[in-house]
Amino acid sequence: MATATAVLGTPQLLKASLRHEARSFLPWVVIVTALSVSSVIVYPLLFPSQHDRHAFATTVGSNPALGLIFGPAYDLSTVDGFNAWRSLALGGFITALGAILIVVKASRGQEDSGQAELLASGVLGREARLLTAMLMGMIASVAVGVVSSVLTGLFGGGWEASLLLGAGFVVTGWMFSAVAALTAQIGSDARTATSLAVGVLSVLFVLRGFLFSIDAPRWTVWINPLGWIEETRPATGDHWWPLILGVVFTAVVAGIAFAFQVSRDFGQGLIATPPGPARGRIHSVLGLAIRLNRSPIIYWSCAFVGLGVIFGYFTGSVRSLFAANPEMAKIFASGAANPAELYGAFLVTIFSLVGIIASIAGVQTINLVRNEELNDRAEPVLATAVTRNRYLGSSVAVAFAETALYMVIAGVVVGIFTAYHNIGISFGDALLQAVATIPAVWTVVAVAVAVIGAVPQARLASWIGVLASFAITLFGPSFKFPEWAMDISPFHHAPDVTTGSSDGWGLLWISLFTVAFLVIGFAGFRRRDTP
């Protein structure tokens, strides 16, 4: 009876929530489906013969950087094996990320915005909102799995492998719906809850890839929930039973989340927000922007130390990798004529990946501007003598400064490893390569400024620079993208400082695009309404 009362009103709230929020599921469904469907379409076109497929498998199978992202490549000689390698880990990550955002928005997000109080004033059980939020995340995950598996099968994928792949997406989304429900009880607000959940997802994702890349003992797979999904092995084993572990994980973590919910105050997390000073100490809009982003900057800085260690570790094996697999050179630099150029191209690729990750942090900072508007915290600031240019400019300055800081941190750590491993790249070369990649990061952040400043209703488009750069950097060389397509990514224009042959024109061009995007963003922000 008590349980029924606690979830009273859930069906009605779920129906209303889906009517208003179901459209937000669409981007996640489209991205993951496109990832899977494109794999089964392009693979036969790009690698028609067994020789081509063998060369590609040799290139990719021993590449630690790609192994970090995609995990083990069990069989790259078939369409389904390739699709499983390319889509399972990355598609699961995207599904989990979408589930986290959906669950936190429907739970703690409503408390922060005041909507939860309006709902609580009606006939609604205490646990109904959290249950509805979890169900929304799980429904979105099911939509991703069903649509992607059906379309993958229709476009030529094997049905059993495609259905198992889709089931992997579903269970991954379910697991992190539960994680998000738990962090929603722990965090002091929705932003903190999201950061905690995304942090857990990111750590587990990188740990999964890193342990595979260093050939860690088999038992390490089973301590990581994402490792369970990898063990389903679509197309090479078709094991359904590891999904049961994911379902059990979801039930246990969700139970803990519901237990914590009754232990906290409404609008507060188990991690209490410390009281502010008796008198305000922030006297500028730039100081306010720094204060709002202080905690994420600290977290991201620690993360980039870890990334530097991981990628720096890989530099120690680069000589043996190239010696054992000459085909791998094509991923990093077609036309590199000697080992020094190969090592330099390897470094460029590493810092391109680090730069893409750094741009995620910068785009998050720019999106915070829109969040402040929607939560009615921007208008009181703009009602003072603060101009719109100063208000937006302060966040842009923080985004540019923090991304530069992250690249320098990674450059220092990787430089220590390259100097230690003595592969012909000095500490200074590694650090300079990291610095040379910063303008490309700023271009991606500037795309977000243009979107948030001019057309904030399309804020999802602020991530298009990150997604395009990621896809082109990882898939472009091995999938034989034409040069004009490679040029779309600003990271393709980052010079190789180790060869000394770059003339800097690429940096000039992307800097001009950065300025253009900033002009669009600032002009749009001055003219549009708030929020």
Side-chain angles (χ1 to χ4, degrees):
M1 186 67 178
T3 302
T5 303
V7 298
L8 187 66
T10 299
Q12 295 83 356
L13 180 59
L14 178 61
K15 182 178 178 180
S17 298
L18 288 175
R19 187 167 61 248
H20 288 90
E21 298 293 338
R23 288 174 297 179
S24 65
F25 301 172
L26 183 61
W28 309 105
V29 175
V30 170
I31 292 172
V32 177
T33 301
L35 179 67
S36 180
V37 171
S38 64
S39 297
V40 300
I41 293 176
V42 303
Y43 185 73
L45 301 177
L46 294 176
F47 310 104
S49 68
Q50 286 299 321
H51 178 269
D52 293 332
R53 297 180 181 188
H54 176 72
F56 178 71
T58 302
T59 303
V60 171
S62 301
N63 182 351
L66 293 179
L68 182 68
I69 303 296
F70 299 106
Y74 294 114
D75 181 12
L76 295 179
S77 64
T78 65
V79 171
D80 290 319
F82 170 75
N83 185 33
W85 169 75
R86 183 176 180 239
S87 305
L88 182 60
L90 186 58
F93 180 88
I94 295 170
T95 305
L97 182 61
I100 288 170
L101 298 178
I102 290 167
V103 171
V104 173
K105 180 181 179 181
S107 53
R108 286 308 298 277
Q110 290 183 349
E111 294 184 32
D112 292 350
S113 66
Q115 292 176 326
E117 282 191 280
L118 293 176
L119 292 172
S121 65
V123 182
L124 194 68
R126 179 179 176 84
E127 298 176 3
R129 282 193 312 102
L130 182 58
L131 179 57
T132 297
M134 267 207 65
L135 290 174
M136 288 178 65
M138 296 173 76
I139 290 171
S141 302
V142 171
V144 170
V146 170
V147 174
S148 63
S149 61
V150 170
L151 289 181
T152 300
L154 291 176
F155 276 91
W159 279 106
E160 184 174 4
S162 299
L163 291 173
L164 182 55
L165 183 68
F169 297 153
V170 172
V171 175
T172 305
W174 284 9
M175 289 193 296
F176 285 91
S177 293
V179 170
L182 178 58
T183 59
Q185 314 313 309
I186 297 173
S188 56
D189 53 25
R191 190 184 185 197
T192 304
T194 301
S195 298
L196 289 172
V198 173
V200 171
L201 171 62
S202 301
V203 168
L204 292 177
F205 185 81
V206 172
L207 182 63
R208 170 206 55 82
F210 180 68
L211 291 176
F212 160 73
S213 298
I214 64 173
D215 292 325
R218 284 282 303 163
W219 62 265
T220 58
V221 173
W222 302 104
I223 64 174
N224 187 336
L226 295 181
W228 307 339
I229 307 302
E230 288 284 351
E231 284 303 303
T232 58
R233 299 194 182 191
T236 57
D238 293 328
H239 304 144
W240 288 83
W241 67 264
L243 299 178
I244 299 174
L245 299 176
V247 174
V248 173
F249 177 90
T250 301
V252 171
V253 176
I256 296 173
F258 281 100
F260 279 5
Q261 188 191 35
V262 300
S263 304
R264 68 176 180 90
D265 293 331
F266 184 85
Q268 301 293 323
L270 296 179
I271 299 177
T273 304
R279 294 178 61 85
R281 302 193 187 103
I282 299 175
H283 303 291
S284 69
V285 67
L286 178 60
L288 176 61
I290 294 173
R291 176 63 184 85
L292 290 174
N293 292 282
R294 182 178 63 186
S295 294
I297 289 174
I298 294 172
Y299 300 148
W300 276 108
S301 297
C302 295
F304 275 86
V305 172
L307 282 175
V309 171
I310 291 172
F311 284 112
Y313 175 87
F314 289 150
T315 62
S317 58
V318 63
R319 183 181 287 112
S320 60
L321 285 173
F322 285 139
N325 300 283
E327 290 283 346
M328 286 182 58
K330 295 178 182 178
I331 281 192
F332 302 107
S334 59
N338 56 62
E341 292 180 352
L342 286 175
Y343 301 152
F346 183 84
L347 196 67
V348 170
T349 301
I350 283 178
F351 281 116
S352 294
L353 293 175
V354 172
I356 292 169
I357 298 171
S359 67
I360 293 174
V363 173
Q364 282 183 331
T365 298
I366 300 303
N367 270 271
L368 181 60
V369 174
R370 183 58 178 168
N371 290 341
E372 292 293 291
E373 291 183 62
L374 295 176
N375 291 321
D376 298 323
R377 291 191 288 263
E379 282 192 85
V381 178
L382 292 173
T384 65
V386 175
T387 64
R388 289 190 171 222
N389 279 348
R390 282 179 59 200
Y391 182 78
L392 179 60
S394 63
S395 293
V396 174
V398 170
F400 277 26
E402 67 172 309
T403 50
L405 172 65
Y406 303 148
M407 293 302 299
V408 170
I409 290 174
V412 169
V413 178
V414 172
I416 293 172
F417 277 88
T418 58
Y420 174 77
H421 291 306
N422 192 26
I423 61 171
I425 298 174
S426 67
F427 172 85
D429 287 339
L431 181 58
L432 186 58
Q433 186 63 58
V435 173
T437 311
I438 292 175
V441 180
W442 287 350
T443 303
V444 176
V445 175
V447 172
V449 175
V451 173
I452 298 299
V455 283
Q457 300 83 359
R459 64 184 300 183
L460 277 176
S462 64
W463 294 96
I464 193 170
V466 175
L467 293 174
S469 299
F470 181 82
I472 292 171
T473 300
L474 279 183
F475 302 127
S478 56
F479 279 11
K480 308 170 187 176
F481 283 11
E483 189 64 22
W484 65 264
M486 297 295 296
D487 286 340
I488 294 174
S489 170
F491 296 95
H492 186 60
H493 301 277
D496 182 354
V497 301
T498 61
T499 62
S501 60
S502 301
D503 54 16
W505 281 105
L507 291 182
L508 176 61
W509 279 111
I510 61 176
S511 297
L512 292 175
F513 275 97
T514 300
V515 172
F517 287 132
L518 291 176
V519 169
I520 293 171
F522 277 89
F525 192 70
R526 283 198 308 270
R527 289 172 171 79
R528 69 173 175 83
D529 292 333
T530 304

